[in-house]
Amino acid sequence: MPAPLAGGPAGPAALRPLLDTVLTALEDGARLRRGPLPAGGPDAVAHRVRDALGDVLPDHGTGDHEALTTLVRALAEGAADPAHPHCLAHLHCPPLAVATAADLAASALNPSLDSWDQAPAASEIEALVTRALARDILRTPTADALVTTGGTEANQLALLLARERHPAPVQLVHGANAHHSLPRATWLLGMPRPHALPTPRGTLDPHTLDRALTQLPGPHLVAATAGTTDAGLIDPLDDIAAVCARHHAELHVDAAYGGLLALSPTHRHRLTGLEHATTLTLDLHKLGWQPVAAGLLAVPDPALLTPLTYQADYLNADDDTEAGLPDLLGRSLRTTRRPDILKIATTLRALGRDGLTDLIDRTCATAHRLAALLEAHPRFELHAPPTISTVLFRPVGATDDDLAALRRSLLHHGRAVLGRATADGRLWLKATLLNPHTTEGDLANLLTLLDLPEGSTHP
């Protein structure tokens, strides 16, 4: 008898006992880990994984339940768990349970969104949800969006579309605060070397941009950032858009981190000017609590996506398209791709605008609470109040070498996962708050963990 499948009439019955095994293994692994990440550092983790995995391809299988128990437990024991309140280093969110459950359905049915006959319902869900989100955030009734693997792919697509819109080579102009995927994409796409402008205060200055656009030959694509990786800062989008309009430059906004603030009445004003973007990067596996991957590239006019049009007879034959079968090949540079939109659609329906806004507002408020605790603590220095949910700080009197050693020590002992960022010529610890369940007690415990005897770098 062959191994059972996840789909078909018998699929749910085959999955149900396996899911119980997976959930038990997740619990066991988390209990063995006992913290935000495994203790012992890379060598210890590698040893435990090798010991658990054993023979990667044994002559005789161990069976479904043993394999799931062993490997899921090893994965969970060796994970950096973003749901732990002391796992704060990166834009790495704890996914919502409802989104994760929806992702299981996507995996079980395995639609591929490169042709309608592989994904009849999924393709319609994607069309409806991407348009609704793009129109809501860009405030444009004709807006549309493509699903991507995240901010990097969305930024690359934005530059590709800009390159194809212009007969002359397009000059990318961006701040030094921009995500590395933007200048890297110019290399991948054979575009001119980008022009990076200094951002000594962490954001792109409109006057500096104005001078640069006056001097540089066009056409120009200006990339602004709504939520920098290091500090969560937002460029002055409205003023930058006005500079772009004066110079007839196009504007791309990388809002992978901060774009979902547009849904919150409390924080929407921070994104004033977003509606002037020609292309917009969004990423819901950051401040949207989706399992990886969940990116979007939004545009105000679907005609801007025309350069992606491509025809392959086995996927979108002309006569099939003329007969009414949706053409999906121009919706991505990828061919085979899973319906990542399902988990997003499920989350939007389950939580609604008010539920999602509540998570956003809670998370931003938690960052401000951490900042207030740091500001009131005599042993810590706060860099600046948070713009979104990133907080930079450092122990008073610590050198940059002390800071780096402290961070690595916390990682090695499995006590906390903190990031690092350079600002104002100094190294800072970075806490990226993305867990709406984090309490003030969790934050106080983190500071207690970090409040070391003077001169010590070991927790």
Side-chain angles (χ1 to χ4, degrees):
M1 187 73 177
L5 302 175
L15 278 171
R16 193 165 283 113
L18 297 179
L19 294 182
D20 190 57
T21 298
V22 167
L23 295 175
T24 299
L26 286 171
E27 290 175 339
D28 291 345
R31 186 177 64 253
L32 290 167
R33 187 181 65 244
R34 299 192 303 274
L37 81 167
D43 290 342
V45 172
H47 176 78
R48 287 194 291 267
V49 170
R50 285 195 296 265
D51 188 55
L53 195 56
D55 188 353
V56 174
L57 184 59
D59 290 335
H60 303 288
T62 61
D64 296 349
H65 291 277
E66 190 284 333
L68 284 168
T69 296
T70 299
L71 292 183
V72 174
R73 184 169 58 202
L75 180 70
E77 182 185 359
D81 183 4
H84 192 286
H86 294 167
C87 192
L88 300 160
H90 302 288
L91 286 163
H92 177 202
C93 76
L96 294 167
V98 68
T100 305
D103 225 17
L104 169 65
S107 293
L109 293 167
N110 211 28
S112 179
L113 281 127
D114 50 318
S115 67
W116 182 87
D117 57 358
Q118 297 176 80
S123 60
E124 184 62 18
I125 292 171
E126 182 177 90
L128 292 171
V129 175
T130 52
R131 289 170 192 157
L133 273 175
R135 292 169 185 179
D136 196 295
I137 292 174
L138 281 174
R139 305 289 180 183
T140 306
T142 57
D144 197 0
L146 304 180
V147 177
T148 70
T149 54
T152 293
E153 184 189 349
N155 283 340
Q156 290 173 352
L157 275 175
L159 264 66
L160 172 64
L161 293 172
R163 186 191 74 177
E164 296 303 299
R165 280 195 299 273
H166 298 280
V170 177
Q171 174 73 63
L172 172 66
V173 182
H174 65 83
N177 63 343
H179 192 262
H180 66 82
S181 60
L182 284 159
R184 192 180 190 196
T186 63
W187 165 69
L188 288 168
L189 296 167
M191 296 172 68
R193 183 184 293 274
H195 188 80
L197 299 174
T199 53
R201 297 186 178 180
T203 56
L204 181 57
D205 177 57
H207 299 293
T208 302
L209 176 64
D210 190 38
R211 289 193 297 271
L213 294 183
T214 300
Q215 297 166 6
L216 291 170
H220 305 114
L221 176 68
V222 173
T225 305
T228 60
T229 304
D230 276 351
L233 302 179
I234 298 174
D235 289 338
L237 301 178
D238 213 21
D239 292 341
I240 289 172
V243 172
C244 289
R246 283 199 302 274
H247 291 274
H248 306 289
E250 292 180 337
L251 174 63
H252 169 66
V253 178
D254 178 0
Y257 180 9
L260 268 290
L261 294 177
L263 300 181
S264 166
T266 303
H267 297 286
R268 186 182 299 138
H269 68 280
R270 299 180 184 277
L271 300 180
T272 300
L274 194 71
E275 66 276 7
H276 299 299
T278 302
T279 47
L280 171 69
T281 289
L282 300 166
D283 199 342
L284 281 82
H285 61 241
K286 292 183 172 63
L287 204 63
W289 298 281
Q290 298 299 296
V292 173
L296 294 171
L297 178 71
V299 293
D301 182 354
L304 292 166
L305 303 175
T306 301
L308 299 178
T309 301
Y310 200 82
Q311 198 270 326
D313 279 347
Y314 78 105
L315 294 174
N316 59 346
D318 288 340
D319 57 325
D320 279 346
T321 302
E322 291 167 4
L325 295 184
D327 178 358
L328 305 182
L329 199 54
R331 301 287 298 175
S332 177
L333 289 180
R334 293 172 286 151
T335 304
T336 302
R337 60 185 184 92
R338 69 195 309 275
D340 287 316
I341 200 66
L342 177 64
K343 59 200 173 194
I344 298 172
T346 305
T347 299
L348 298 178
R349 182 177 179 86
L351 274 65
R353 184 186 297 274
D354 57 349
L356 196 54
T357 294
D358 178 65
L359 293 181
I360 293 167
D361 292 350
R362 282 175 181 270
T363 302
C364 293
T366 300
H368 282 276
R369 283 198 294 273
L370 175 58
L373 288 174
L374 288 163
E375 207 163 25
H377 199 298
R379 297 279 290 275
F380 292 101
E381 178 184 355
L382 175 69
H383 179 259
T387 300
I388 305 177
S389 67
T390 299
V391 181
L392 302 185
F393 65 100
R394 53 184 291 144
V396 171
T399 67
D400 285 359
D401 287 344
D402 291 338
L403 216 63
L406 170 61
R407 177 181 173 274
R408 287 191 293 269
S409 180
L410 291 166
L411 291 174
H412 184 84
H413 289 90
R415 306 294 298 277
V417 191
L418 289 166
R420 53 186 288 168
T422 300
D424 300 333
R426 292 195 292 167
L427 190 64
W428 299 79
L429 293 174
K430 177 174 71 168
T432 309
L433 283 297
L434 287 178
N435 186 343
H437 292 272
T438 299
T439 66
E440 190 152 351
D442 294 325
L443 301 177
N445 289 338
L446 176 66
L447 296 196
T448 299
L449 179 65
L450 293 171
D451 188 16
L452 307 177
E454 194 165 349
S456 172
T457 60
H458 298 287

